[in-house]
Amino acid sequence: MSQSISIDDIEVPFESGQTIMDAALAAGIYIPHLCHNPCLKPHGSCKLCSVEVNGRSVSSCTTKAEDGQEIINNSEKLNKARLTITQMLFIEGNHLCPTCEKTGHCTLQAVAYHLGMLDGHFPQFYPKREVDASHPSIMLDRDRCILCELCVRASRDMDGKNVFAISGRGTDSHLSVNSPTGKLVDSNIDKDDLAVHICPVGAILIKEHGYEIPIGCRTFDLRSIAEIDLGDVKLSEKSQHNE
Amino acid sequence: MSIKYPYNPTNHLLHVLFEEQQRAHFISNNAIQNISKSLNLPHAQVEGVVEFYAFFHREPRGQFDILFSNCTSCGDAWLRQRLCDKLNVKLGETRSDGLVSIDQTSCIGMCDHGASLLLNNSLTITSLTAKRIDQIVKLVESSTALQEWPKHWFDISDNVHKRGLLLTEPFQPGSALKVMIEHNPPEILNEIIVSGLKGRGGAGFSTGLKWKLCREAIGDAHYVICNADEGEPGTFKDRVLLNSYADLVFEGMTICAYVIGAKQGFLYLRGEYRYLLDTLNATLQKRRETGLLGGNILGQGFDFDISIIVGAGAYICGEESALIESLEEKRGIPRIRPPFPVTQGYKEQPTVVNNVETLATVAKIVLHGHHWFESHGTNRSKGSKLLSVSGNCARPGIYEYDFGVSLQEVLNDVGAENVQAVQVGGPSGRLLGPDHFNHLISFEGLSTGGSLMIFAKHRDILALIHNFSHFFAHESCGFCTPCRVGTRLLENSMSKLCNGHSTAYDIDEIKHISALVSQYSHCGLGVSAAHPILDGLKYFQKSFEEKILKKEMEPEFDLDSELSEARAITDRDDPGAHL
Ligand SMILES: Cc1cc2nc3c(=O)[nH]c(=O)nc-3n(C[C@H](O)[C@H](O)[C@H](O)COP(=O)(O)O)c2cc1C
Ligand code: SF4
Ligand code: SF4
Ligand code: FES
């Protein structure tokens, strides 16, 4: 017997083992998300993908779909919460969009457009975060890291290298590099690793390829995050910002 | 998969790091490098653990490393300042001669003993007074070895004022196990199920059902874990059980092992209680020697052993899945659930995690039978509950009541007068005023893991709430956005409010953030982090109203005070240097 859930009153079929996010994406329904990527094991940390299942808030990327679930996704309340969470991510780090090389390719920025974010709303934390420019071709600017662990998972599970990890606790949490010196140059990272290309913000960048695509012609200048995430845009194409 | 019993705790990452911290007073890059090699763990995992737990440091600490509790019951900011002033060291810093460092830490579970501190992460001094602080200063300044410090300073009494079902009669080690072996595991399981016992750690999940699910789960090995993390401020009942009733707790673990088919158990002891470690290990050893633990228990061919793992200062490690991560030598980040520990816990194997008090109660139920237990308490809350009472009352300490006792009756017994508010269940519980004192303590009424903090009329409610907000921001593991950023925003908002800079707009903001943090956080910490604020707004509205400015808005910062650094640098303080 085929199974289905309903998302905002639309009937969505799913297969056993799929999460709500999997089922939604397959059915062409966009649920805002930042720490999720269909190629990687779900993580459930950003909480942007929160939906209401039978009245309870859950992360759709980590919650299994179950027959008959009634799910609310695109409501004013949820989008407002997502907006606030996005604002929290902006003020927690140091995001200088106009001068960031990732501008226009940045998923955080694109989600913010999607949710109608006009300001940071909260007072900035202005954290002091370390830049690692030690590697000849890869740059790590932690100022913009949103702790989504996409690079951690990509390196561990796809590249088989375990180059990145999260260290610290609470607002002191930060990305660390798995090498004796803690520097990228002393790790076994490679320019072609998925971990290098998967960062949704401008925290991991390829050196010497800045501004090859002019501002105005970039990914999210042309298409919305919802279109990109639902389309057949492949992971590698989507996250490549240096061609 | 080959699993070795018993587990040897010497090489556990947390223990190796503790030894290094004791030896070198910090954990250097080199040490991380060496430890990661010798334990065969990724460098980043070791570094991640060092930077996650509050008792490990990347910068050298003093030869005397003092951590002052900042709890509303076992902390005292004035005494802390006196210690800093007399030793001439700033809070959070190490003195330049490397002799001493002073910092603050979350509640250390000494709430019935007044102001308290941790010394070198291994000893605890309670009942601090100005005089005691001055004596400590002398010993530190003269570099007196800890062995020479007065022994009785480190004694910690139980303070049990009222004994009930659990504590009344002394317990004979082995007596519950002797009853146990008369029955097969399904019979014992049934006894626990019909007793109606619910977990004493806070959530109140049926213990029998938890064991049943674990027993039925398929795995290469099953594990039982005793959760002795007891991090909720104001809670110290598990400390007393471990100090004087350890056999009862270990017997409870052994019974659980018998039911679920475990060969290995762990006691996860919070770092703040390290002073109990040697005695607990001695009790384990004695149990092995008397055939109550280890191979072939009571000659019945049943093998089970217990190892103790000591935490390193992280409240979140009391959350059961974070605890398991910590046992697995990782940062204490709560896992995605499901799967629950009963099916995939320690090393992904079926695992029971139970509170200390729950396991102690289990042993008593097996000893006396479920009827004995059931006849106490209320319809939906069977048995008794240990309460850790602290704050403004004449007789702080442990009180054991049958469930269904009213808050007012407890307040009378402990000698609490002029009570303004009671924090029931610690900061993650409820902040209640006199209108609620007739409520009954039970799972269906006022539920509590055991913390009862009493605040008299002279206490500043906003300052208390501010203290709790600081606690949550400090203890948030940082995994999910709403809790990591939200608890920090709440702490900052409470600072602004307490400093008298908030307007009605800021109160709306606090409500907005509180709702978000409670609703969208990943685990119980975030879900309950805003409780004190929300209860404060509901029941102590006047305290908030009195503090807010009658203006539309107030700037985020005071420009004139921001210029103070520039004035100091330029050595000016004339009117022209002010705005
Ligand atoms: C942030 C947080 C901290 C917790 N701390 C403790 C603790 O210190 N001790 C404890 O027994 N349970 C604690 N718990 C509850 C445990 O997750 C778990 O429910 C409990 O250990 C189960 O034991 P029980 O069924 O015997 O109550 C905590 C939960 C959360 C969310
Ligand atoms: S560096 Fe990028 S991919 Fe990695 S955790 Fe930070 S934001 Fe995520
Ligand atoms: S709610 Fe807080 S403590 Fe729990 S996972 Fe999220 S950040 Fe960590
Ligand atoms: S996308 Fe689901 S929590 Fe981040």
Side-chain angles (χ1 to χ4, degrees):
Chain A
M1 213 178 75
S2 68
Q3 315 178 85
S4 72
I5 55 179
S6 97
I7 303 182
D8 294 329
D9 294 327
I10 297 167
E11 179 143 328
V12 175
F14 72 94
E15 282 156 35
S16 293
Q18 276 192 317
T19 60
I20 295 173
M21 175 72 81
D22 295 333
L25 288 177
I29 295 172
Y30 175 65
I31 302 178
H33 57 270
L34 279 171
C35 72
H36 182 67
N37 185 302
C39 304
L40 299 172
K41 211 172 120 209
H43 189 57
S45 70
C46 76
K47 299 296 166 195
L48 218 67
C49 73
S50 298
V51 294
E52 278 174 39
V53 180
N54 306 335
R56 222 165 51 88
S57 309
V58 300
S59 319
S60 55
C61 67
T62 58
T63 307
K64 291 265 180 311
E66 277 173 41
D67 204 24
Q69 275 170 338
E70 295 194 9
I71 296 159
I72 301 176
N73 167 39
N74 194 10
S75 71
E76 198 185 320
K77 178 181 164 211
L78 281 166
N79 284 325
K80 187 160 176 248
R82 291 165 182 155
L83 169 65
T84 305
I85 292 171
T86 308
Q87 286 167 323
M88 285 179 163
L89 287 170
F90 267 98
I91 59 103
E92 185 195 21
N94 299 302
H95 293 270
L96 301 156
C97 296
T99 60
C100 176
E101 148 60 13
K102 192 74 179 258
T103 242
H105 290 311
C106 169
T107 314
L108 179 67
Q109 203 182 44
V111 163
Y113 293 151
H114 176 83
L115 295 166
M117 177 174 145
L118 298 175
D119 65 353
H121 187 82
F122 300 111
Q124 294 276 353
F125 286 2
Y126 293 123
K128 285 202 178 83
R129 292 185 180 174
E130 236 176 280
V131 174
D132 179 353
S134 62
H135 195 278
S137 48
I138 304 157
M139 167 88 183
L140 177 59
D141 182 352
R142 295 183 175 84
D143 276 327
R144 297 180 273 274
C145 174
I146 56 169
L147 306 169
C148 67
E149 295 195 34
L150 282 170
C151 59
V152 178
R153 286 173 279 159
S155 180
R156 184 188 58 212
D157 303 337
M158 306 294 273
D159 305 329
K161 289 192 178 175
N162 212 5
V163 170
F164 297 106
I166 301 289
S167 196
R169 171 166 110 194
T171 38
D172 291 331
S173 301
H174 56 271
L175 188 72
S176 63
V177 174
N178 197 12
S179 73
T181 55
K183 295 276 179 228
L184 264 183
V185 70
D186 299 313
S187 74
N188 58 347
I189 199 164
D190 189 274
K191 197 162 78 175
D192 298 322
D193 289 352
L194 180 61
V196 178
H197 301 277
I198 203 168
C199 182
V201 292
I204 303 178
L205 295 168
I206 307 279
K207 286 182 175 177
E208 295 178 5
H209 287 278
Y211 297 92
E212 279 174 355
I213 300 176
I215 291 172
C217 308
R218 295 182 167 197
T219 319
F220 300 112
D221 297 331
L222 307 175
R223 282 181 293 181
S224 80
I225 179 86
E227 286 175 284
I228 298 273
D229 271 334
L230 293 173
D232 296 69
V233 189
K234 284 202 194 64
L235 174 71
S236 53
E237 290 171 37
K238 180 170 78 176
S239 43
Q240 216 78 5
H241 47 72
N242 57 342
E243 43 193 40
Chain B
M1 193 168 83
S2 86
I3 295 160
K4 280 232 290 283
Y5 308 103
Y7 176 90
N8 173 12
T10 331
N11 289 336
H12 193 279
L13 178 59
L14 288 178
H15 297 174
V16 173
L17 290 173
F18 172 80
E19 293 300 331
E20 178 62 17
Q21 173 77 38
Q22 294 300 92
R23 190 190 66 78
H25 304 300
F26 79 123
I27 295 166
S28 64
N29 267 332
N30 247 338
I32 291 180
Q33 179 73 352
N34 292 336
I35 291 171
S36 82
K37 269 205 202 116
S38 69
L39 298 186
N40 198 15
L41 295 170
H43 188 276
Q45 182 175 340
V46 178
E47 182 186 312
V49 165
V50 171
E51 296 192 5
F52 186 82
Y53 296 89
F55 296 167
F56 300 138
H57 306 281
R58 300 303 310 275
E59 300 286 329
R61 307 287 280 195
Q63 187 188 325
F64 295 94
D65 184 8
I66 298 174
L67 287 175
F68 224 107
S69 167
N70 62 17
C71 161
T72 58
S73 287
C74 62
D76 188 317
W78 185 81
L79 288 175
R80 186 179 73 202
Q81 196 53 47
R82 184 182 179 97
L83 187 66
C84 287
D85 291 346
K86 297 229 159 180
L87 284 170
N88 196 20
V89 47
K90 281 209 191 85
L91 190 68
E93 290 181 8
T94 302
R95 210 165 80 174
S96 54
D97 61 359
L99 182 67
V100 57
S101 52
I102 305 176
D103 210 337
Q104 55 178 326
T105 191
S106 302
C107 175
I108 62 173
M110 296 296 151
C111 309
D112 54 336
H113 291 290
S116 306
L117 58 78
L118 286 175
L119 189 53
N120 289 12
N121 294 330
S122 53
L123 291 166
T124 306
I125 306 182
T126 61
S127 314
L128 294 169
T129 56
K131 191 172 142 221
R132 181 59 42 88
I133 292 285
D134 298 351
Q135 290 166 326
I136 292 175
V137 170
K138 276 213 188 91
L139 292 173
V140 169
E141 288 291 11
S142 57
S143 287
T144 307
L146 289 178
Q147 298 90 293
E148 320 266 301
W149 290 36
K151 291 262 175 313
H152 69 273
W153 285 11
F154 305 113
D155 291 342
I156 296 158
S157 65
D158 281 353
N159 261 335
V160 180
H161 292 287
K162 192 175 181 317
R163 292 168 199 271
L165 210 50
L166 211 56
L167 306 183
T168 300
E169 28 163 309
F171 177 73
Q172 272 303 326
S175 55
L177 292 191
K178 284 186 187 126
V179 178
M180 176 188 86
I181 54 168
E182 302 290 312
H183 305 271
N184 61 25
E187 284 166 359
I188 297 293
L189 174 62
N190 195 48
E191 191 75 9
I192 303 300
I193 291 177
V194 295
S195 76
L197 173 64
K198 291 181 182 170
R200 280 13 186 177
F205 190 79
S206 156
T207 305
L209 181 58
K210 189 185 278 187
W211 289 16
K212 183 169 183 279
L213 292 170
C214 186
R215 179 183 158 80
E216 286 166 359
I218 294 161
D220 299 328
H222 287 57
Y223 294 97
V224 47
I225 297 173
C226 173
N227 186 345
D229 199 52
E230 192 159 60
E232 190 72 41
T235 321
F236 49 88
K237 56 164 186 99
D238 295 344
R239 180 197 92 208
V240 171
L241 285 172
L242 294 169
N243 189 45
S244 300
Y245 298 84
D247 271 301
L248 197 58
V249 178
F250 291 142
E251 210 131 313
M253 291 177 75
T254 311
I255 293 165
C256 178
Y258 183 68
V259 168
I260 65 171
K263 290 194 162 25
Q264 175 68 51
F266 294 100
L267 177 88
Y268 187 91
L269 182 70
R270 71 185 306 219
E272 290 81 347
Y273 292 169
R274 181 176 285 275
Y275 75 98
L276 291 169
L277 183 61
D278 289 346
T279 323
L280 287 170
N281 270 325
T283 306
L284 286 177
Q285 191 50 35
K286 184 135 184 253
R287 290 182 71 81
R288 286 183 197 112
E289 285 158 12
T290 50
L292 302 177
L293 197 66
N296 197 18
I297 292 175
L298 289 173
Q300 299 295 309
F302 159 49
D303 302 344
F304 175 66
D305 213 322
I306 298 172
S307 308
I308 304 178
I309 305 296
V310 189
Y315 166 69
I316 189 62
C317 290
E319 196 281 336
E320 56 184 12
S321 65
L323 185 156
I324 290 169
E325 290 282 298
S326 181
L327 270 187
E328 292 181 358
E329 310 183 294
K330 294 183 262 181
R331 302 160 75 235
I333 306 289
R335 292 178 176 174
I336 295 168
R337 303 188 309 171
F340 291 92
V342 282
T343 55
Q344 281 180 50
Y346 179 66
K347 305 274 187 205
E348 317 230 302
Q349 302 305 316
T351 304
V352 161
V353 182
N354 270 139
N355 176 254
V356 175
E357 186 183 345
T358 311
L359 291 162
T361 310
V362 159
K364 284 269 173 165
I365 293 174
V366 168
L367 186 62
H368 296 295
H370 66 89
H371 289 298
W372 163 86
F373 183 73
E374 264 178 299
S375 58
H376 293 260
T378 72
N379 224 352
R380 284 161 60 198
S381 311
K382 301 293 180 202
S384 65
K385 184 79 194 86
L386 299 190
L387 300 179
S388 328
V389 181
S390 67
N392 305 121
C393 65
R395 290 173 298 280
I398 299 295
Y399 292 77
E400 183 180 10
Y401 290 95
D402 284 354
F403 274 114
V405 66
S406 78
L407 191 49
Q408 186 60 54
E409 192 181 332
V410 179
L411 293 176
N412 296 345
D413 287 354
V414 305
E417 281 163 18
N418 278 319
V419 183
Q420 177 182 196
V422 182
Q423 184 77 40
V424 182
S428 64
R430 308 294 310 276
L431 177 64
L432 301 172
D435 290 351
H436 294 81
F437 291 175
N438 59 346
H439 288 200
L440 310 184
I441 292 174
S442 65
F443 290 108
E444 63 274 26
L446 281 181
S447 176
T448 169
S451 168
L452 220 80
M453 300 158 111
I454 301 167
F455 305 120
K457 296 244 159 70
H458 69 273
R459 302 289 289 268
D460 177 351
I461 283 283
L462 293 183
L464 296 168
I465 297 175
H466 184 203
N467 179 298
F468 296 150
S469 311
H470 169 78
F471 170 76
F472 287 116
H474 186 260
E475 298 297 336
S476 166
C477 83
F479 172 75
C480 70
T481 320
C483 173
R484 183 182 70 239
V485 187
T487 53
R488 183 68 66 200
L489 285 171
L490 286 175
E491 183 194 9
N492 294 348
S493 301
M494 284 308 298
S495 299
K496 188 177 176 192
L497 181 69
C498 290
N499 290 334
H501 293 300
S502 289
T503 64
Y505 171 85
D506 294 294
I507 301 290
D508 286 341
E509 278 292 288
I510 289 178
K511 288 183 187 160
H512 171 54
I513 303 164
S514 297
L516 186 102
V517 175
S518 342
Q519 197 154 14
Y520 299 103
S521 288
H522 177 69
C523 84
L525 187 147
V527 168
S528 50
H531 281 175
I533 297 181
L534 293 171
D535 280 346
L537 284 165
K538 207 149 120 202
Y539 305 126
F540 300 90
Q541 203 183 354
K542 238 179 90 201
S543 305
F544 283 79
E545 274 167 7
E546 277 165 6
K547 202 78 187 181
I548 60 175
L549 300 165
K550 306 283 172 280
K551 296 200 234 174
E552 282 284 300
M553 69 85 75
E554 169 81 3
E556 283 303 333
F557 63 94
D558 174 357
L559 196 49
D560 188 62
S561 77
E562 295 294 318
L563 286 172
S564 62
E565 203 179 326
R567 280 193 295 270
I569 294 168
T570 53
D571 211 8
R572 277 184 63 182
D573 202 19
D574 55 286
H578 286 271
L579 288 168

